[in-house]
Amino acid sequence: MKKILVTGSNGQLGNCIKHIAENFENKYEFIFTDSQTLDVTNSEQVQSLFYDNKPDFCINASAYTAVDLAEKEPEKAFAVNAEGVANIAEACAEFKTILIHVSTDYVFDGETNLDYAEDDFTNPIGVYGQSKLKGEELALDINPKTIILRTSWLYSEFNKNFVKTMLSLFSQKEELGIVADQFGQPTNANDLAEAIMAIIEAKNKTFGVFHFSNYPETTWFEFAQKIAEFSKSNIKLNPLTTEQYPTPAKRPKRSTMCLDKIEKVYEIEPKHWENSLEDCIEVLSK
């Protein structure tokens, strides 16, 4: 039975993979680790884990994701998102493990009106994006059997995320201001988990960089409007400009990604973000 190692399994994506793992229990043995059981920045720990388990696949869902805090803690961001990825990639290369590494749309600066393709120029404007890009580069350089999956605006029924924050705020406030001039693609982490398993299941593997998200693009304001609609909230939402809602880290104005490559190569069809959002809110309301 082939083995799948999942790092960062207490995060949103990790929890979503745990949720669907039972559908594959007759085909794969899953090994779930989190920051408590595996410090990815410790190369000896990583090597030891790979030596003991010799996984066929590694889904690296471990990441430093605090976008604003990263501006104050660049060393921590790079330790996990770059050095940690290098440690995993080195172990993958040594044990001939296929690495599926999750990255972000924040590797782009957002200064375009075109959807970003996988080979478009990267130019992250914040520490978080810079650390994730460095992780991508190291993974591809170190382990030839690497698949990078860039995703965006991840949410789920697990952990902290925009959807759960909005639902909480809707119950506390009568009105709320939401940024309306940043564009991207909200992505249900359950859909990303299913896409990763579809890649693992594919007979022929194509390595390199792929984009996966739900579609089409929207704004944080429109996203919040749909959360309110699906949760039957009467909250009054007011559109804000980025200038009206300053944050420590700059965000790309428009980081919309082209999804053609993953559809063509792996026959994975992304879902409409509104449908996936409705599914998530249905789960949260149970």
Side-chain angles (χ1 to χ4, degrees):
M1 189 180 285
K2 291 193 172 181
K3 294 179 180 179
I4 300 173
L5 168 65
V6 183
T7 65
S9 66
N10 278 350
Q12 285 196 81
L13 176 60
N15 274 306
C16 291
I17 294 168
K18 282 180 191 171
H19 184 63
I20 62 170
E22 60 190 37
N23 301 334
F24 300 93
E25 59 187 10
N26 295 328
K27 294 185 78 171
Y28 304 103
E29 178 188 339
F30 287 82
I31 303 144
F32 291 102
T33 67
D34 54 39
S35 57
Q36 304 301 310
T37 54
L38 176 67
D39 177 2
V40 296
T41 67
N42 185 321
S43 60
E44 288 180 5
Q45 268 194 41
V46 174
Q47 282 287 335
S48 177
L49 182 75
F50 272 73
Y51 180 81
D52 290 343
N53 293 282
K54 297 177 179 61
D56 299 278
F57 301 92
C58 174
I59 303 168
N60 183 32
S62 65
Y64 180 106
T65 57
V67 176
D68 288 322
L69 197 56
E71 297 298 314
K72 287 183 182 176
E73 300 180 342
E75 297 85 2
K76 285 188 180 178
F78 273 87
V80 177
N81 294 344
E83 293 157 38
V85 177
N87 291 336
I88 290 167
E90 282 167 6
C92 285
E94 185 177 334
F95 291 94
K96 296 180 171 55
T97 302
I98 291 174
L99 171 59
I100 299 172
H101 173 63
V102 181
S103 192
T104 175
D105 58 324
Y106 279 29
V107 298
F108 299 112
D109 60 20
E111 298 296 322
T112 180
N113 289 322
L114 301 173
D115 294 354
Y116 285 104
E118 284 79 355
D119 56 357
D120 278 346
F121 181 68
T122 51
N123 184 36
I125 54 176
V127 170
Y128 167 70
Q130 290 160 6
S131 68
K132 291 296 286 184
L133 180 60
K134 187 64 180 173
E136 285 187 17
E137 293 167 349
L138 288 166
L140 292 165
D141 285 346
I142 295 166
N143 183 40
K145 291 185 173 182
T146 291
I147 296 164
I148 305 284
L149 279 183
R150 291 181 185 143
T151 192
S152 57
W153 296 20
L154 216 56
Y155 68 89
S156 67
E157 63 268 37
F158 304 106
N159 302 47
K160 287 181 182 176
N161 55 67
F162 184 77
V163 173
K164 290 177 77 174
T165 298
M166 287 299 105
L167 291 172
S168 175
L169 289 171
F170 291 174
S171 66
Q172 299 166 34
K173 296 180 179 290
E174 291 184 2
E175 62 180 287
L176 206 56
I178 306 290
V179 173
D181 60 356
Q182 292 173 19
F183 292 81
Q185 294 142 303
T187 306
N188 189 324
N190 290 283
D191 294 341
L192 177 58
E194 287 176 9
I196 289 170
M197 289 310 300
I199 289 170
I200 287 174
E201 291 270 87
K203 284 182 182 175
N204 298 314
K205 301 287 188 288
T206 300
F207 302 106
V209 181
F210 291 85
H211 291 166
F212 178 84
S213 68
N214 293 138
Y215 77 94
E217 70 173 15
T218 188
T219 64
W220 291 110
F221 178 71
E222 289 168 346
F223 189 19
Q225 283 183 313
K226 279 294 169 185
I227 297 167
E229 179 188 324
F230 292 147
S231 64
K232 297 179 171 59
S233 170
N234 295 317
I235 186 92
K236 182 176 187 285
L237 295 173
N238 304 309
L240 300 177
T241 64
T242 297
E243 287 69 28
Q244 288 174 303
Y245 190 79
T247 54
K250 275 185 165 185
R251 265 75 169 170
K253 278 289 181 87
R254 186 178 183 274
S255 55
T256 309
M257 300 183 297
C258 178
L259 308 174
D260 292 349
K261 185 179 174 183
I262 201 163
E263 285 194 61
K264 195 174 178 180
V265 175
Y266 282 107
E267 298 181 349
I268 293 169
E269 290 188 28
K271 296 176 185 174
H272 196 292
W273 70 263
E274 289 183 19
N275 296 336
S276 287
L277 173 62
E278 197 165 13
D279 290 344
C280 181
I281 289 176
E282 199 174 302
V283 170
L284 286 167
S285 63
K286 283 178 182 174

